[in-house]
Amino acid sequence: MVSVEFTGEATMNEVCYVNSGGRKLKSEVIRIKGNEADLQVFEMTTGVGVGDDVEFTGELLSVQLGPGLLGQVYDGLQNPLPELAEQCGFFLDRGVYLSALDEAKKWDFTPSVKAGDKVAAGDQIGSVKEGIFDHWVMVPFQLDGVLIVKNVVAAGSYTVNDKVAEVENERGELIPLTMSFNWPVKRAVNCYAERLKPSETLVTKLRIVDTFIPVAKGGTYCIPGPFGAGKTVLQHVTSRNAEADVVIIAACGERAGEVVETIREFPELIDPRTGRSLMERTIIICNTSSMPVAAREASVYTAVSIAEYYRQMGLDVLLLADSTSRWAQAMREMSGRLEEIPGEEAFPAYLESLIAAFYERAGIVRLNNGDIGSVTIGGTVSPAGGNFEEPVTQATLKVVGAFHGLSQQRADARKYPAIHPLESWSKYEGVIDKKKTEYGRAILFRGDEVDQMMRVVGEEGTSLEDYIIYLKADLLDFVYVQQNSFDPVDDAVDPERQEYTYNILLDILTAKLDFAGKEEARTWFNRVRQNFLDYNSKEWKSEEFEKLVSTIFQLLAEKKIGVEADAEGIL
Amino acid sequence: MQKVYSKIESISGNVITVTAEGVRNKELAVVETRYGSSLAEVIRLNRDEVALQVFNGGRGVSTGDEVRFMGETMKVSFSDNLLGRIFDGSGKPRDGGPELTDEMIEIGGPSVNPARRIIPRNMVRTGIPMIDVFNSLVESQKLPIFSVSGEPYNELLARIALQAEVDIIILGGMGLKYDDYLFFRETLEEGGVMSRTVFFVHTAADPVVESLLVPDIALAVAENFAIHGRRVLVLLTDMTNFADAMKEIAITMEQVPSNRGYPGDLYTQLASRYEKAVDFEGSGSITILGVTTMPGDDVTHPVPDNTGYITEGQFYLRNGRIEPFGSLSRLKQQVNGETRSDHRAIMDGMIKLYAAYKESLEKKSMGFKMSDWDEKLLTYGEMFEREMMDLTVNIPLEAALDKGWEILATCFEPEETGLKTELINQYWTNKV
Ligand SMILES: Nc1ncnc2c1ncn2[C@@H]1O[C@H](COP(=O)(O)OP(=O)(O)O)[C@@H](O)[C@H]1O
Ligand SMILES: [Mg+2]
């Protein structure tokens, strides 16, 4: 952080450049007192000295929006990292800032308005083809009132900086429009008709999520967990498999290596929904742990602003932030330097409201033209000491719609994904009938109770009936809740298969089973489990798949003597 | 352009302030005291008030002592002349050899552009089943050993260093006990690798603050070797001492502590060091193995906790063994898909069963009657500990996998293992 004396005006969150040793270091005004401004510098401040001069730009910290964002890898301030590498080599040199969008590239623009049309902020004035999408060229979000189109170019090839139209505002001013514009990252985009209630499931292809603790389009969820429990793997798997149009990955303050996997793998992976490379629907905003901490704070806002931009085109956008705790820590570091009165664990007192405001930027909206678009936000939380009773986890839990809590114990026992099936919750609708999933959850609960009890009274003191419940819960856990992300088939399970599998399991869970004793029961469940395990890695409806299904039903027929009374009506 | 000031305004802990002009952030200075000279680094500038942290500590510094600003940041010499040499925490020779001044390089340089990193893919074989089978170590990984003091973590570090196929070994010691320093020297000499090793050793007897430079110096040197195509292994022991030195400075600077006195940027500080681990495309690599001692055997202590969030896994050393729970190599999946078709299944399957064994053990300790299943698990757990976990076991990965199947076949029926039928058909060994 540096403090500067200024003459004239300074604006909160204005971008400045500190001129030091021939370099211009990007900074943001974070406090103004009299004629002194405090700046957070988005770079290491080595070599900065008293007396260096500072340039004020008058512009707020912004993202550049326009065609060409998809497939990009940016740092927290929207510097394109591959281009930076071309220029600077292996290392991130200080003070080098490149344009976020390719300024030379020509896009085939087709206008959708004509002179005399009335438009407003966020309305489409034309489109270009960006990969698999029709990328809407829109009226910049910050223009107010009704605007009249004065002229628009003919269909043709243009760069993002070419003028494509002119509009006149209510004050009679003529405003030129290009295919790109800037948006201040800390403001939510609100050019839409109304916000709707998230009601449709966002399919992740993880059984435990879609079935028991679903995520909704336009909803929010969080993944807290101690280190090593599987937060990043979970987000990585979701970024690959989720049924969203656009996925934005905000790698916030964690390992660079984890982003590299995405950067290197995604261009090679084919998205089964589109037949194109996964990278074409992905944007990576990456401010990893050794990159400047001040830019880490900005990075999540950069990410969410881009998410809102694609939502404005009627697309379903999924934003995955890993980890929101690093963002909170960046705020803590800044707040500490400003010598603000610290709150709990030295986090700033306004932490909670900032977290709430961030998740509030998720949502499903009806746009002015009637189309629906959504931003879904999933954030990991890295609680100190793995203890969820800490400010960031608690503040997050207050505002999100689903909680996927990871458990160290489950990770230790290699029960992946290590989401705790009993402690986690969701307010959203899943892909399977709620009555059925509730029955499964109840079995998991009771199985856990029996397990706890057995620890007190021993297996001997447990009734056969209870023991069977325990085995049923164990089976459901082993073959359904757990899922092998490294198996090509098990990695991504469609809702159709989830329902099919769940129904088979439900037949077993609801069955009255006839066993002479515990040993026989255990052996039988082992056999069923073995078949299910093999089933999980067989292609949907393949010959082997069908064979295993019939074996499972055969095994069930041998022992089933009826249906549990509490299961009447759900089958 | 050296400026000399002879009035120190304040001395507090290891931090001094002087009034000076034209000084730049992170600039280096030399403080001349009656007891010798010490390096100091600018850590805060407030108009003409300059705060410096003194690497030899504040003890013995007098207000009349001279402070000489060097006009540049901390640098260290880099060339092949470093090999076989031993230096102290600030880069001065500790072995009686000549001071090196050729090709001075900056320390604490910028981080690698993530777009230029590649996915690590070379397994480092150690002969230790708990590593090779269950948590494979990978070239360019950053991974600490979590341990209480008294465990043989330095022995483990040295053993891996000798076994690993690397070009250069750099040892960064922080608060290293003298005996341990000698141990490393002897072991690496006996192993015949001393001629491609560099030591930067800060011992427990040296001023605490001086340890702050060790990781940056060691890693700057490593980075340059790596850029020149060498595969470098950096050993950092003990990073908890490094963190404690930072805590000391933070407290002196009256920073608001975040957790048990540690500064709020502990995570960032540790990360900027560990993230130096890298595999340069078309060139060399840096692998970092560290030691993080856990005060009070508490993994939630801020140092191991923050470290765990930064590094690519950790090996828990407890009772002379690498514990399967909590131990983790986050890069193992980059390499264990190509070793043998049963590797991943054995890796997870055996640990699942070991977790079940622990539960049976608990029940047993409570005096419950053991079921057949419990009995099987008990036999299994003991075998697993004896034939896999024991650190004296030294066998190649493939032999360890075979051993795994042998243990499973001795203790269980195939269907009890939770392993896929396909693998069982291929690997199940008939009972011995
Ligand atoms: N779903 C999973 N399947 C298999 N292994 C997993 C899974 N999730 C996590 N792991 C293992 O645990 C390690 C740590 O997971 P990661 O997601 O990086 O943890 P976190 O982000 O919570 O610290 C991974 O490198 C992997 O070895
Ligand atoms: Mg993670």
Side-chain angles (χ1 to χ4, degrees):
Chain A
M1 195 185 84
V2 303
S3 302
V4 293
E5 257 176 36
F6 61 90
T7 51
E9 282 175 11
T11 311
M12 191 66 172
N13 300 112
E14 174 174 353
V15 173
C16 308
Y17 290 94
V18 178
N19 291 323
S20 178
R23 288 197 180 98
K24 289 169 104 187
L25 307 180
K26 196 169 183 172
S27 326
E28 180 187 8
V29 176
I30 52 169
R31 182 163 65 191
I32 303 171
K33 237 177 11 197
N35 65 342
E36 214 180 282
D38 291 331
L39 316 183
Q40 61 173 339
V41 185
F42 296 125
E43 306 272 8
M44 286 197 302
T45 52
T46 304
V48 173
V50 175
D52 286 346
D53 60 77
V54 176
E55 233 172 87
F56 284 67
T57 65
E59 302 285 329
L60 298 186
L61 187 67
S62 302
V63 276
Q64 194 186 356
L65 303 171
L69 293 165
L70 290 174
Q72 287 280 9
V73 182
Y74 292 118
D75 76 2
L77 303 174
Q78 218 194 358
N79 252 314
L81 289 172
E83 281 76 12
L84 212 60
E86 261 168 47
Q87 189 165 329
C88 308
F90 280 125
F91 297 97
L92 292 168
D93 287 345
R94 290 191 293 162
V96 184
Y97 309 107
L98 303 176
S99 166
L101 298 175
D102 186 341
E103 293 180 328
K105 183 173 166 120
K106 296 233 176 182
W107 298 88
D108 283 330
F109 173 76
T110 315
S112 59
V113 291
K114 53 186 188 312
D117 283 355
K118 287 187 176 137
V119 292
D123 286 355
Q124 188 181 2
I125 57 167
S127 64
V128 300
K129 199 88 191 143
E130 184 185 18
I132 41 188
F133 301 109
D134 272 329
H135 183 115
W136 298 4
V137 175
M138 293 175 276
V139 175
F141 303 150
Q142 55 270 61
L143 296 188
D144 51 3
V146 177
L147 304 150
I148 295 166
V149 178
K150 281 291 164 189
N151 56 67
V152 58
V153 295
S157 223
Y158 303 92
T159 71
V160 288
N161 292 333
D162 289 338
K163 189 169 80 179
V164 291
E166 274 180 320
V167 293
E168 187 184 87
N169 68 12
E170 286 163 3
R171 293 179 292 281
E173 294 156 345
L174 209 56
I175 305 163
L177 303 186
T178 66
M179 286 193 261
S180 98
F181 59 92
N182 290 344
W183 178 256
V185 292
K186 290 185 182 164
R187 270 180 63 191
V189 176
N190 58 1
C191 343
Y192 47 79
E194 62 170 332
R195 255 182 93 153
L196 309 169
K197 186 166 174 282
S199 56
E200 193 186 334
T201 313
L202 180 93
V203 172
T204 65
K205 303 196 181 168
L206 283 161
R207 284 187 293 258
I208 179 173
V209 174
D210 298 344
T211 302
F212 293 114
I213 40 172
V215 178
K217 286 181 180 164
T220 53
Y221 70 107
C222 68
I223 310 176
F227 63 79
K231 299 180 291 296
T232 303
V233 171
L234 206 55
Q235 284 216 333
H236 187 77
V237 169
T238 308
S239 69
R240 253 193 292 127
N241 298 333
E243 293 194 340
D245 295 315
V246 173
V247 175
I248 299 179
I249 298 171
C252 176
E254 301 231 329
R255 304 169 189 87
E258 296 171 341
V259 193
V260 177
E261 281 180 41
T262 309
I263 298 177
R264 300 272 167 168
E265 279 173 7
F266 274 30
E268 317 290 322
L269 293 176
I270 299 299
D271 181 355
R273 299 188 330 136
T274 60
R276 304 285 283 268
S277 113
L278 263 183
M279 203 60 205
E280 287 187 33
R281 71 159 196 182
T282 309
I283 302 168
I284 300 172
I285 310 293
C286 131
N287 181 273
T288 52
S289 59
S290 63
M291 290 163 76
V293 63
R296 195 187 296 166
E297 194 248 349
S299 69
V300 298
Y301 293 109
T302 300
V304 74
S305 301
I306 296 176
E308 288 171 332
Y309 178 63
Y310 280 95
R311 175 199 69 195
Q312 291 299 117
M313 297 174 207
L315 299 174
D316 292 320
V317 186
L318 172 62
L319 166 61
L320 298 169
D322 185 15
S323 155
T324 60
S325 293
R326 304 302 159 219
W327 164 57
Q329 279 182 346
M331 293 193 280
R332 175 168 75 183
E333 281 185 36
M334 232 15 88
S335 164
R337 300 222 172 95
L338 289 172
E339 292 172 356
E340 292 172 342
I341 297 167
E344 223 181 313
E345 289 183 27
F347 282 108
Y350 46 80
L351 176 78
E352 227 179 271
S353 59
L354 287 183
I355 288 178
F358 170 67
Y359 282 103
E360 262 305 297
R361 290 177 76 168
I364 179 160
V365 300
R366 197 163 52 77
L367 302 170
N368 293 335
N369 72 351
D371 282 7
I372 307 286
S374 69
V375 171
T376 308
I377 300 181
T380 66
V381 187
S382 316
N387 178 3
F388 292 175
E389 300 298 319
E390 58 90 44
V392 184
T393 316
Q394 290 306 313
T396 307
L397 281 177
K398 277 190 199 163
V399 295
V400 292
F403 162 62
H404 298 172
L406 298 191
S407 135
Q408 181 70 56
Q409 250 180 336
R410 290 184 69 86
D412 277 347
R414 307 296 188 264
K415 295 180 179 172
Y416 293 122
I419 301 175
H420 203 292
L422 299 180
E423 283 161 21
S424 303
W425 49 260
S426 165
K427 295 180 191 160
Y428 305 121
E429 292 286 325
V431 298
I432 292 176
D433 181 12
K434 188 124 189 170
K435 276 205 302 275
K436 293 182 175 180
T437 60
E438 284 304 319
Y439 193 87
R441 281 261 269 203
I443 295 269
L444 289 174
F445 262 109
R446 285 164 61 201
D448 185 58
E449 274 169 15
V450 176
D451 189 27
Q452 300 298 333
M453 198 174 65
M454 280 200 292
R455 284 164 208 263
V456 181
V457 300
E459 197 179 300
E460 227 186 348
T462 307
S463 69
L464 177 60
E465 215 179 347
D466 279 349
Y467 190 69
I468 290 174
I469 293 198
Y470 163 76
L471 289 173
K472 282 178 174 175
D474 192 53
L475 177 72
L476 178 60
D477 187 350
F478 207 104
V479 305
Y480 197 86
V481 171
Q482 294 171 47
Q483 188 170 346
N484 186 352
S485 294
F486 291 101
D487 183 282
V489 174
D490 209 23
D491 173 47
V493 183
D494 287 328
E496 191 186 1
R497 180 166 178 161
Q498 289 191 31
E499 190 161 13
Y500 183 86
T501 310
Y502 193 75
N503 283 336
I504 304 179
L505 270 167
L506 210 56
D507 269 346
I508 301 174
L509 300 181
T510 55
K512 270 204 189 104
L513 299 164
D514 176 33
F515 295 117
K518 289 178 192 153
E519 194 54 30
E520 192 200 344
R522 192 177 66 82
T523 312
W524 184 85
F525 271 96
N526 274 342
R527 196 156 301 149
V528 172
R529 183 180 74 176
Q530 189 70 30
N531 282 285
F532 252 114
L533 215 60
D534 294 336
Y535 158 98
N536 276 341
S537 59
K538 296 291 181 263
E539 293 285 352
W540 174 236
K541 302 272 170 164
S542 64
E543 198 182 315
E544 289 160 303
F545 172 99
E546 301 289 5
K547 221 171 93 195
L548 286 159
V549 171
S550 68
T551 313
I552 292 168
F553 277 123
Q554 221 171 324
L555 282 167
L556 180 59
E558 283 167 20
K559 293 292 163 196
K560 182 169 167 177
I561 49 171
V563 174
E564 293 288 350
D566 60 356
E568 306 282 353
I570 66 154
L571 288 173
Chain B
M1 198 203 47
Q2 296 194 345
K3 284 161 283 179
V4 182
Y5 294 85
S6 58
K7 184 163 187 313
I8 295 177
E9 309 273 346
S10 76
I11 306 169
S12 161
N14 303 311
V15 177
I16 62 170
T17 60
V18 294
T19 304
E21 273 175 8
V23 176
R24 312 222 139 242
N25 196 20
K26 297 282 173 77
E27 185 174 336
L28 218 56
V30 174
V31 184
E32 297 288 351
T33 76
R34 212 166 340 157
Y35 308 97
S37 67
S38 167
L39 285 177
E41 185 182 67
V42 175
I43 54 174
R44 187 187 288 170
L45 291 165
N46 187 4
R47 295 187 191 268
D48 58 359
E49 183 192 286
V50 181
L52 302 110
Q53 76 188 12
V54 184
F55 290 115
N56 276 4
R59 192 166 300 157
V61 178
S62 133
T63 51
D65 286 344
E66 212 166 69
V67 179
R68 197 171 76 240
F69 287 94
M70 320 270 281
E72 59 174 26
T73 53
M74 179 75 192
K75 291 192 168 53
V76 61
S77 164
F78 167 77
S79 71
D80 275 355
N81 294 336
L82 288 169
L83 297 175
R85 296 289 312 272
I86 299 176
F87 303 90
D88 71 5
S90 53
K92 290 206 209 75
R94 178 165 223 140
D95 54 4
E99 195 150 340
L100 298 179
T101 50
D102 44 333
E103 260 207 78
M104 300 300 279
I105 55 163
E106 280 196 41
I107 70 166
S111 68
V112 172
N113 187 330
R116 284 300 294 269
R117 285 175 178 261
I118 50 176
I119 302 180
R121 62 210 150 189
N122 301 323
M123 179 169 160
V124 178
R125 286 170 176 260
T126 66
I128 301 170
M130 292 315 289
I131 297 178
D132 294 356
V133 176
F134 297 99
N135 283 302
S136 316
L137 186 63
V138 181
E139 185 180 336
S140 87
Q141 189 157 18
K142 43 184 179 283
L143 189 140
I145 297 167
F146 280 6
S147 162
V148 286
S149 42
E151 293 283 341
Y153 47 81
N154 283 331
E155 283 80 352
L156 183 59
L157 269 194
R159 178 170 164 192
I160 298 172
L162 286 178
Q163 214 120 339
E165 289 169 3
V166 292
D167 301 320
I168 287 170
I169 299 167
I170 297 178
L171 174 77
M174 289 145 282
L176 201 60
K177 283 203 233 62
Y178 212 84
D179 289 354
D180 288 338
Y181 157 55
L182 294 177
F183 161 79
F184 273 112
R185 213 178 64 187
E186 272 166 26
T187 311
L188 297 183
E189 256 163 19
E190 275 166 26
V193 298
M194 200 57 199
S195 61
R196 47 188 180 92
T197 298
V198 193
F199 275 41
F200 294 99
V201 171
H202 165 269
T203 69
D206 302 328
V208 174
V209 204
E210 211 176 75
S211 74
L212 280 177
L213 289 170
V214 171
D216 284 340
I217 293 181
L219 291 164
V221 168
E223 195 162 85
N224 277 271
F225 276 124
I227 286 174
H228 288 87
R230 316 284 258 282
R231 288 169 303 166
V232 189
L233 173 66
V234 180
L235 309 175
L236 297 174
T237 171
D238 161 356
M239 287 297 277
T240 304
N241 291 334
F242 170 72
D244 285 344
M246 280 195 298
K247 175 165 99 172
E248 227 181 275
I249 295 290
I251 289 173
T252 313
M253 296 296 286
E254 292 174 0
Q255 285 178 19
V256 186
S258 67
N259 196 346
R260 294 193 234 184
Y262 289 91
D265 65 353
L266 178 64
Y267 174 87
T268 304
Q269 293 292 348
L270 289 172
S272 72
R273 274 75 188 192
Y274 280 115
E275 283 280 313
K276 290 280 177 196
V278 64
D279 196 343
F280 287 115
E281 189 164 17
S283 199
S285 67
I286 303 175
T287 308
I288 302 179
L289 280 181
V291 167
T292 299
T293 49
M294 298 183 290
D297 199 8
D298 176 12
V299 70
T300 70
H301 179 279
V303 179
D305 186 49
N306 278 285
T307 304
Y309 277 117
I310 292 163
T311 53
E312 287 156 339
Q314 62 281 330
F315 296 147
Y316 268 86
L317 194 61
R318 181 164 296 141
N319 302 323
R321 296 194 299 224
I322 297 176
E323 278 288 325
F325 304 135
S327 289
L328 172 68
S329 161
R330 291 166 189 269
L331 299 189
K332 63 188 177 197
Q333 52 265 31
Q334 313 294 3
V335 296
N336 63 15
E338 279 101 58
T339 47
R340 221 170 81 171
S341 62
D342 58 334
H343 189 162
R344 285 181 176 166
I346 284 286
M347 164 183 93
D348 282 340
M350 289 194 87
I351 302 298
K352 277 189 191 184
L353 289 165
Y354 187 72
Y357 153 73
K358 285 282 185 186
E359 286 181 11
S360 295
L361 200 62
E362 196 188 311
K363 287 185 214 153
K364 189 181 174 195
S365 72
M366 293 176 67
F368 295 134
K369 180 161 174 276
M370 295 282 92
S371 67
D372 286 354
W373 177 234
D374 289 320
E375 294 291 355
K376 286 183 175 188
L377 286 169
L378 290 177
T379 316
Y380 167 76
E382 280 154 24
M383 255 186 111
F384 183 79
E385 288 180 352
R386 191 172 60 242
E387 299 188 22
M388 289 285 207
M389 281 174 69
D390 199 300
L391 271 185
T392 60
V393 179
N394 189 349
I395 47 175
L397 167 71
E398 291 72 16
L401 290 172
D402 292 342
K403 170 72 75 188
W405 285 105
E406 193 186 310
I407 296 174
L408 291 175
T410 310
C411 306
F412 302 114
E413 295 301 321
E415 280 170 4
E416 290 170 333
T417 60
L419 299 172
K420 274 193 233 161
T421 311
E422 236 166 69
L423 287 172
I424 288 176
N425 289 343
Q426 192 179 348
Y427 291 102
W428 196 257
T429 39
N430 290 323
K431 279 199 182 179
V432 273

